[in-house]
Amino acid sequence: MMRGESTGQTAEIPGPIKAILLKEPKRVAAMLKGIGRLVIIVGDRIMEYENEKFKPIDFIVDLAKSVNAHINVTGPLITKFREKGYEKIYLMPAMETIDRLRDPEWKGFDGEGGYRMAVFIGFYYYYEWLMLNGLKHFAYKWLRTLSLDPLYQPNATFSLPSMDVDKWRDFMLEVLNHIRG
C-alpha cells in the first residue's frame, strides 16, 4: 500500500498493483489533456460534493468540454446533465459500462473507437472499488483508469490521495484551471 494512504475497505486487499498517486492538480490536468479518447463515468453521489462555489454537474461538463471527453451518467442525473447542452452525454448503467469498457472490440458511445482512459467520479467507495478492480484485471492492456473522488482508490491506474471534501473541491477547480491554461 502507498505510504500514508489507506483504502477505506476493511479487510480488502487490492493486490500487488496499486494506483499511482496524483498529488498535484497540474499532473492531473496534463494527463487528462494528453491521454486522447476519454470517458468520464459519473455516479449519483456527485451531488454530495456540491456547495455554493462548487457545482459538480457544471464542473464535469466544463471538464469534458475542455478535454473533448464523453460523459456517461449512470443514473437519474442524466436530465440535469442534458440541460447543460453538451452533446457527448450518454446514459448507461455502471456495470454495463464496465462490461463494455473491458471489451477490446467496443468502439465507444460514438462508434469512433475505444477509450484510452475512463475517469470515475461520484460513486460509493466500495462500488467504485469493484468496478476498478474488474477493469484492472480485464482491461489493463488498453485502458487506463483515474479516480477523481476524494478517497484513494488503489484499484485505479491513477488516483487522487485521500483528502477532505473542501480541499478536494479546490483541487478539482485547480485541475480545471490548468486544463484551460
Side-chain angles (χ1 to χ4, degrees), residues 29 31-40 59-72 86-90 109-110 112-117 119 176 179-180:
M31 180 174 300
L32 291 172
K33 281 171 60 174
I35 196 71
R37 280 184 57 86
L38 175 68
V39 61
I40 302 171
F59 167 77
I60 292 168
V61 170
D62 290 345
L63 178 65
K65 285 179 180 178
S66 298
V67 296
N68 195 30
H70 292 170
I71 300 173
N72 177 49
Y86 186 56
E87 294 179 13
K88 298 178 180 181
I89 297 174
Y90 306 91
F109 288 107
D110 58 4
E112 293 185 17
Y115 297 102
R116 299 263 335 262
M117 178 175 276
V119 177
L176 187 57
I179 288 172
R180 290 178 173 165

Side-chain angles (χ1 to χ4, degrees), residues 44-112:
D44 293 346
R45 288 199 65 210
I46 192 66
M47 296 310 294
E48 293 178 15
Y49 302 142
E50 186 171 36
N51 71 6
E52 63 279 346
K53 74 174 189 172
F54 186 83
K55 306 298 179 205
I57 293 174
D58 293 336
F59 167 77
I60 292 168
V61 170
D62 290 345
L63 178 65
K65 285 179 180 178
S66 298
V67 296
N68 195 30
H70 292 170
I71 300 173
N72 177 49
V73 181
T74 61
L77 291 176
I78 188 69
T79 308
K80 292 182 180 183
F81 271 89
R82 288 197 171 143
E83 289 171 356
K84 301 299 176 184
Y86 186 56
E87 294 179 13
K88 298 178 180 181
I89 297 174
Y90 306 91
L91 172 65
M92 184 182 290
M95 286 302 165
E96 177 70 18
T97 304
I98 300 309
D99 194 40
R100 301 249 180 127
L101 286 170
R102 66 181 190 86
D103 178 2
E105 303 300 318
W106 187 49
K107 300 298 181 196
F109 288 107
D110 58 4
E112 293 185 17

Side-chain angles (χ1 to χ4, degrees), residues 98-159:
I98 300 309
D99 194 40
R100 301 249 180 127
L101 286 170
R102 66 181 190 86
D103 178 2
E105 303 300 318
W106 187 49
K107 300 298 181 196
F109 288 107
D110 58 4
E112 293 185 17
Y115 297 102
R116 299 263 335 262
M117 178 175 276
V119 177
F120 291 80
I121 187 168
F123 290 97
Y124 284 101
Y125 187 84
Y126 57 86
Y127 194 51
E128 188 171 333
W129 171 289
L130 292 172
M131 292 186 292
L132 290 167
N133 191 23
L135 293 173
K136 176 169 90 170
H137 288 90
F138 298 106
Y140 65 92
K141 291 182 181 178
W142 61 86
L143 183 70
R144 302 292 171 255
T145 57
L146 168 63
S147 174
L148 287 182
D149 281 316
L151 293 171
Y152 173 68
Q153 277 286 0
N155 286 322
T157 311
F158 305 97
S159 178

